[in-house]
Amino acid sequence: MQALLYTLAPVLAVVIGAIIASRTKLNPGLVAGLQHLAAGVVFAAAATEILPQVKHEASPSATLIGGAAGVATMLGLKALEARFKGPMALLAAIGIDILVDGLVLGLAFVAGEKAGFLLTIALTLEVLFLGLTLTDELAETYRSRLRIIVIVSALALLLPIGALAAVPVAALSPVNAAEAARTAGAAATEPSVPLRMAFLYVPNGVHMPAWVPEQEGANYELPSILEPLADLK
């Protein structure tokens, strides 16, 4: 699967972000700018590639419902993280976020290669930010930098898992359902009598006045050359 190969970029970004954050303290303004840049690229990829295809080939209502469910999920994760303090709540929230990112990336490649490529760039920047901030947060709980990097790297592996989950999810999408309906409708309207085509080869030519009917329409009279075919008219 092409999306699975492209998940290597964001996975490496998470690991690199964890290594950088474990060795140096980054400027909060730089991290915030990177976060907003990633969000802008995600919105651009969705607006220019994914949404138009969904609008023309699938159900806009499904897009609205799915978008609302996605927003509700992310707000729920935010509330969960705020309610349950500690590293485990943080790891659970970010783990679900990364898994969903992988699923979205896989579905983007189902929609089109260009959409998947743009979303790969956006998610690479996003998870790089996650790697930076998560490492910084875990440093307050764990002293071992190696342990922190291993934990963050393990979370990054949820990206390809999410991308693999996109294959069965895409089979349930409105786009594939609409395509199946169109195929079934075309099969139902096929005529019971097969269509045929005939080719006539006359190497020595034809006397056209005795070949072409003088009348038009279905009630024409056969010319002399075609009279043997009267029973087949």
Side-chain angles (χ1 to χ4, degrees):
M1 183 181 179
Q2 190 178 22
L4 191 61
L5 180 62
Y6 274 82
T7 57
L8 293 177
V11 167
L12 289 176
V14 173
V15 177
I16 292 173
I19 294 174
I20 293 175
S22 65
R23 295 181 175 275
T24 183
K25 188 71 174 178
L26 296 177
N27 188 332
L30 175 63
V31 176
L34 183 62
Q35 181 185 15
H36 285 83
L37 175 62
V41 177
V42 170
F43 279 120
T48 59
E49 294 296 327
I50 300 176
L51 291 181
Q53 181 174 1
V54 171
K55 178 180 178 182
H56 294 291
E57 299 183 13
S59 172
S61 60
T63 306
L64 180 61
I65 295 173
V71 171
T73 300
M74 298 312 297
L75 292 177
L77 290 176
K78 188 68 176 178
L80 177 68
E81 181 183 351
R83 181 176 180 180
F84 299 98
K85 301 294 183 181
M88 294 307 297
L90 178 64
L91 290 175
I94 292 183
I96 296 174
D97 185 17
I98 292 178
L99 182 66
V100 172
D101 284 344
L103 176 63
V104 171
L105 182 60
L107 293 175
F109 273 98
V110 173
E113 183 177 353
K114 186 178 180 181
F117 180 73
L118 289 176
L119 205 57
T120 299
I121 298 175
L123 291 181
T124 299
L125 295 174
E126 178 190 345
V127 297
L128 174 61
F129 161 77
L130 286 177
L132 293 170
T133 55
L134 180 59
T135 301
D136 192 53
E137 291 287 339
L138 292 178
E140 300 178 1
T141 304
Y142 304 107
R143 293 185 177 275
S144 173
R145 290 188 297 183
L146 178 61
R147 184 179 182 182
I148 295 174
I149 294 174
V150 170
I151 293 174
V152 176
S153 301
L155 283 177
L157 296 179
L158 292 172
L159 268 166
I161 295 176
L164 287 175
V167 177
V169 171
L172 304 176
S173 70
V175 174
N176 289 334
E179 181 64 26
R182 285 195 297 268
T183 303
T189 57
E190 287 184 356
S192 57
V193 179
L195 298 177
R196 293 185 173 89
M197 179 180 294
F199 294 90
L200 301 178
Y201 174 60
V202 184
N204 297 321
V206 174
H207 180 57
M208 297 306 294
W211 175 264
V212 180
E214 296 181 358
Q215 299 83 12
E216 295 182 359
N219 297 321
Y220 61 89
E221 295 181 3
L222 289 174
S224 59
I225 296 179
L226 299 181
E227 285 181 355
L229 302 176
D231 296 337
L232 302 176
K233 178 182 174 185

